[in-house]
Amino acid sequence: MTRHPLLSALAGAVLCAALAGPLAAAPDPTYTALRGARPDGRTIAVKDLALDRDVFHFQFDSGTFHLLAPVDGRTVGAVFVGHGSYRLTPATPNERRQLALFSGAGEGLESLSDSFDSLVLFFVDGTGAELQLKTPVEKGAPDAKAVQVYESWLKRQRKDFKVNFHLRVLQDLLNAPGAKTGLFLALIDGKKTPPALAAIDPNGAEALQLGGRLGGEDVVFYVADSTKGGVWYLSDRKTELAAHQPHPERVLADALDYRIETTVEKGDDLAGTAIVRFHPLVPGLRVLPVLLMPRLRISEASWAVEAGGAEPAWQPAAWVQEDQDDDAGAAAVFPQPLPGEKGGEMGKATTVLLRLSYRGDKVLRDVGDKNYVVGARESWYPNLGVFSDPAAFELVYRVPAGNEVISVGRKTGERTEGKLAVSTWKTEGPVQVAGFNYGKFKKLEKKDEDSKLQLAVYTNPGTPDIVREINAAMEGGPSLGVVNTTRLAEGAMADGINSARLFTTYFGPLPQTQVAITQQSNFFFGQSWPSLIFLPYIAFLDSTQRQRLGLLGAKDFVDQVGYHEFAHQWWGHLV
């Protein structure tokens, strides 16, 4: 894919913005009000009230709903204090078996049920009106118990779930103001089951940002527990299943391409500026979630509408990003609905630019002797979705001279700026995710004429801390000794060539013309990004060294890991 002509000028735009100073935007007032809302003294007393939401049945035997203060004139939450229960009845036999497995209930499970003495609701649907059908709202002073329950749940949201539910509510409030078919969340403190979230999300479970790729199924039961927590139930709605018409995930934007400038200022710190060009896919878009590692703190956000080849007219945008150890999900908040194609009507011809600057420490991990581990490989740059929204990338890296970056894409240039080595990379088309390996490397390169792929193996000649620790621990016995990864690069190259020939024959040629196979210091963990493979350190140990470590059972893993990761160039990145 040829990069859009405007991107050629964006590096200059970043420099101009830096010289002019950051564009500052005030915090979004709706988000501030939403985050600060507490029970305000309005109450609804209930007795034998039933509330049904798809597979969830809530029974409120007796108690009181304490409404949260309105946000933009709308009540979107309540705290229940009293006695109640819930029941989750899976919609299909497969989902019932899955729930039984996760809950440990056994094969006879028909439904999962529990009781509670308090519960927190967020709703942008008809729940507020439904609560008032039998009992009118009473006004008074805020109830101390209800406030305490809510504060306890806020702490749990920050520390246990680490998910910003307020941010998800904000999307419905600002992206579709006045709509009454939005989100329903029940935060449950059950007596038998660990703290849990029951959710109906019309945008799909992916919008909740619970971790992992969850897709468009919109009924979720998520448990926060350190040993057995996670998604216990994930399905389409019962009506959709019955009609065999699942509702697709509601995607807010389509990323076209990224330009990412990254600087490694010292050992493990990272700073960057990213510009993403995207099409809004929903009318009136104002809140756009962004996937970004919490340690990377946003310092500036701005946006512009693309207008031919003209210089972007950058305007400040607000952003949401709570403390890095809490519910730190990020989003850009535009001051007005993004424009459509004609007269405010939605259309893909509208192209918007979003620019984010960010910085964080300990983003990389120095594991000794110029070996580094790149953490947060899916969120080291702000993005609109990995593995779900392919885009073209242009990447610029500035690192201390003497170290090197091996990146997704093809290297298009390198130079020196003072004490920094600068390299530029560009993908040969849209890819699912961008990434890099970093450190000091030796290179072995070959062109395979059968597969037409240019293969390169990068190994680190130094000794990482883990090897020193192993040798020290085995002092007096058979040590690991010196690991000559350069010599063992020949084995990785042979596996790479055989993989390239085999998979090209069976699955066809790759869209890119080169693949880099890189050593990483994670001992047993391999990974494959488009045109970039991370092989675990154990793959560069010979059989004698593995025998000294007592890792005889690792032979199959070592023999297979190179082929496995190479296969992801087709299965995972293309299919």
Side-chain angles (χ1 to χ4, degrees), residues 171 175 203 250-254 278-282 285 287-289:
Q171 293 178 47
N175 290 349
N203 288 3
R250 191 170 189 243
V251 180
L252 303 180
D254 174 27
F278 67 92
H279 288 321
L281 297 182
V282 297
L285 179 66
V287 181
L288 182 61

Side-chain angles (χ1 to χ4, degrees), residues 185-522:
L185 301 179
L187 299 165
I188 312 165
D189 194 3
K191 295 185 176 181
K192 296 184 298 184
T193 304
L197 165 72
I200 311 290
D201 193 332
N203 288 3
E206 187 77 8
L208 292 169
Q209 296 190 346
L210 296 170
R213 176 82 180 119
L214 297 182
E217 294 171 306
D218 49 7
V219 184
V220 185
F221 188 74
Y222 179 89
V223 173
D225 185 80
S226 58
T227 57
K228 59 180 181 179
V231 177
W232 283 18
Y233 183 86
L234 177 64
S235 179
D236 293 302
R237 302 191 199 213
K238 293 188 294 184
T239 54
E240 297 170 354
L241 293 170
H244 302 287
Q245 293 181 336
H247 192 273
E249 176 186 349
R250 191 170 189 243
V251 180
L252 303 180
D254 174 27
L256 305 176
D257 44 52
Y258 293 82
R259 179 183 171 90
I260 302 169
E261 299 207 15
T262 301
T263 300
V264 178
E265 297 175 320
K266 53 182 181 179
D268 52 11
D269 298 349
L270 185 146
T273 296
I275 298 176
V276 55
R277 294 173 62 246
F278 67 92
H279 288 321
L281 297 182
V282 297
L285 179 66
R286 285 195 59 198
V287 181
L288 182 61
V290 174
L291 183 63
L292 182 65
M293 180 186 187
R295 295 196 73 90
L296 290 169
R297 310 306 297 169
I298 299 173
S299 58
E300 185 262 348
S302 53
W303 69 286
V305 175
E306 186 174 87
E311 188 74 16
W314 295 105
Q315 304 175 55
W319 68 87
V320 172
Q321 189 182 41
E322 297 295 333
D323 291 344
Q324 67 181 38
D325 295 325
D326 294 342
D327 48 343
V333 184
F334 303 100
Q336 61 200 53
L338 295 183
E341 181 179 10
K342 296 179 181 178
E345 294 297 323
M346 207 47 233
K348 282 194 175 182
T350 299
T351 301
V352 178
L353 309 174
L354 173 63
R355 180 178 65 197
L356 297 172
S357 297
Y358 44 93
R359 179 185 301 270
D361 62 356
K362 295 180 172 51
V363 177
L364 307 174
R365 183 156 55 91
D366 185 347
V367 292
D369 212 0
K370 294 190 180 293
N371 286 268
Y372 292 88
V373 172
V374 181
R377 290 191 184 143
E378 299 176 11
S379 56
W380 64 271
Y381 63 97
N383 64 80
L384 306 188
V386 297
F387 302 113
S388 61
D389 190 10
F393 285 82
E394 185 168 4
L395 303 139
V396 181
Y397 301 94
R398 292 176 174 84
V399 303
N403 289 345
E404 186 178 2
V405 164
I406 312 301
S407 175
V408 161
R410 175 183 292 278
K411 185 187 289 187
T412 58
E414 53 186 337
R415 63 185 187 275
T416 300
E417 292 180 0
K419 296 182 179 181
L420 296 178
V422 183
S423 63
T424 58
W425 304 72
K426 183 179 177 182
T427 61
E428 298 177 72
V431 297
Q432 302 269 22
V433 62
F436 68 97
N437 205 349
Y438 171 63
K440 186 174 183 178
F441 299 101
K442 286 189 176 181
K443 179 181 180 182
L444 176 64
E445 187 171 29
K446 289 184 180 180
K447 173 71 177 290
D448 179 49
E449 294 301 329
D450 290 344
S451 65
K452 308 305 180 185
L453 282 174
Q454 187 79 21
L455 301 178
V457 177
Y458 293 87
T459 54
N460 188 292
T463 303
D465 293 340
I466 188 172
V467 173
R468 302 179 195 276
E469 292 167 4
I470 289 172
N471 285 334
M474 302 179 73
E475 189 173 1
S479 71
L480 189 59
V482 177
V483 179
N484 187 349
T485 56
T486 302
R487 178 172 60 84
L488 294 171
E490 290 285 353
M493 175 63 77
D495 286 351
I497 289 174
N498 289 331
S499 298
R501 292 175 178 176
L502 177 66
F503 299 145
T504 299
T505 300
Y506 276 95
F507 312 133
L510 290 172
Q512 73 265 18
T513 57
Q514 83 292 326
V515 174
I517 301 168
T518 66
Q519 171 206 325
Q520 66 170 354
S521 294
N522 281 328

